[in-house]
Structures are given as structure tokens and as C-alpha cells.
């Protein structure tokens, strides 16, 4: 993340942690993942532009809604370097994330509804149970949790 920093608005990692409410280790983690960036002062000490406080607030909100870090990073990279996101930019980001969130809500709602059949059942029926995966046949459909990740329009896996 390339950026221009006003030296009068720079913060130490401790100041960023205190003001943003996240541990220092989290600030370092966000930086290592390319979500925020720092510069070095003349004494080779890490300094952050105060705009990272807004970025961290956005990251925390996005994480609470389950947005993956790589999606957050991509959205933040779309912002002009070193600038505080304005209302329009925030709306654009939140609109994009809303679609992702709605997709996950659909998946989880479907999974919840399917698991309702299993609670207190225990049959693990090959024909009825959404948890059943005899001989790993779902593995032939691709990697990952096939039941969880299938789209509504593809129908129900057996
Ligand atoms: S355990 Fe019976 S439907 Fe899942």
C-alpha cells in the first residue's frame, strides 16, 4: 500500500493500538497482511499516518460481519493512498460487502434449516441427512465443504 505521510500526523504503533482499541500485535498483523501501512522516521522507527485509525475501524466492522481479510484488503487498496475514506467510498465498500454477507446468510440459513432435521434424529440416512457423506462422494464434487458452499439454485445434495 503506497502512501504519503504527513509527519505531523504520525503515530507510534502503541498510539495506534491505544486509540484504535486493538492490541499492538493486531496492528502488526494488519500491517503484515497489507491492510495498513507504516513508514519509518529518521530514527528508523515505525510510524503510522493517523488515517490508519479509520482503516482499523473499517477492518473491525468488516471482520465482525465475517468479511474475509483478503476482501477487506482489496477494498482498502481501492482507496486513494493516505486518504481518509469519505462517506461515498464507505458506502461503496459496504454495498459490495452486503452482497457477500447476504450470500453467507443464505448458506447459513439453509444449513440451519437442514440441521433442524438432524437435531434429535441421529439417523444419518444416506437419502435424507445433509450431514451424511458416504464414501466421501461429496469430495468428487470439489474441495471444501460442498453442502455448506453450494448455491441455492444448484439444489440439495444427497
Ligand atoms: S441425522 Fe437424521 S436427518 Fe440428519
Amino acid at each position: 500500500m503506497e502512501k504519503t505521510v504527513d509527519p505531523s500526523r504520525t503515530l507510534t504503533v502503541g498510539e495506534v493500538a491505544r486509540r484504535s482499541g486493538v492490541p499492538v500485535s493486531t496492528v502488526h498483523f494488519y500491517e503484515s497482511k497489507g491492510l495498513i501501512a507504516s513508514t519509518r522516521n529518521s530514527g528508523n522507527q515505525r510510524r503510522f499516518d493517523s488515517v490508519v485509525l479509520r482503516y482499523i475501524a473499517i477492518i473491525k466492522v468488516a471482520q465482525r460481519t465475517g468479511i474475509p481479510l483478503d476482501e477487506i484488503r482489496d477494498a482498502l487498496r481501492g482507496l486513494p493512498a493516505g486518504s481518509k475514506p469519505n462517506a461515498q467510498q464507505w458506502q461503496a465498500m459496504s454495498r459490495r460487502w452486503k452482497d457477500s454477507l447476504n450470500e453467507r446468510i443464505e448458506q447459513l440459513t439453509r444449513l440451519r434449516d437442514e440441521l433442524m432435521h438432524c437435531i434429535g434424529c441421529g439417523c444419518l440416512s444416506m437419502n435424507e441427512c445433509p450431514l451424511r457423506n458416504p464414501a466421501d462422494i461429496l469430495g468428487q464434487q470439489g474441495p471444501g465443504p460442498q453442502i455448506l458452499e453450494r448455491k441455492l439454485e444448484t439444489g440439495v445434495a444427497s
Side-chain angles (χ1 to χ4, degrees):
M1 187 181 297
E2 193 68 29
K3 60 188 297 187
T4 306
V5 175
D6 175 357
S8 67
R9 296 179 13 194
T10 60
L11 304 169
T12 66
V13 66
E15 290 170 327
V16 171
R18 183 176 47 78
R19 291 180 58 181
S20 64
V22 301
V24 167
S25 59
T26 301
V27 176
H28 289 309
F29 174 73
Y30 289 160
E31 186 178 18
S32 72
K33 295 295 180 186
L35 296 160
I36 59 174
S38 67
T39 57
R40 298 279 175 169
N41 67 9
S42 57
N44 199 32
Q45 296 165 319
R46 182 178 275 120
R47 290 291 184 265
F48 294 87
D49 188 293
S50 61
V51 75
V52 301
L53 299 174
R54 180 67 62 92
Y55 280 51
I56 291 174
I58 290 171
I59 294 165
K60 287 169 69 178
V61 167
Q63 283 189 299
R64 289 189 78 173
T65 57
I67 304 297
L69 282 180
D70 57 345
E71 280 187 43
I72 300 170
R73 182 183 55 236
D74 291 346
L76 293 177
R77 282 186 175 159
L79 298 172
S83 70
K84 190 180 287 188
N86 62 31
Q88 270 184 325
Q89 291 163 330
W90 170 238
Q91 284 171 359
M93 273 190 279
S94 53
R95 241 192 320 273
R96 196 173 339 148
W97 290 337
K98 180 182 165 196
D99 293 339
S100 172
L101 189 57
N102 281 338
E103 187 175 313
R104 271 177 291 122
I105 288 170
E106 278 181 21
Q107 290 174 340
L108 291 172
T109 300
R110 187 181 60 249
L111 186 62
R112 180 204 60 198
D113 293 345
E114 290 174 353
L115 289 178
M116 290 301 288
H117 293 292
C118 297
I119 294 173
C121 176
C123 71
L124 290 174
S125 162
M126 261 177 30
N127 296 325
E128 303 294 328
C129 182
L131 297 178
R132 181 78 186 201
N133 183 18
D136 194 27
I137 57 172
L138 293 175
Q140 296 166 12
Q141 296 174 21
Q146 293 298 311
I147 291 176
L148 177 64
E149 292 180 349
R150 74 178 181 274
K151 304 276 186 202
L152 284 174
E153 56 272 11
T154 62
V156 177
S158 58

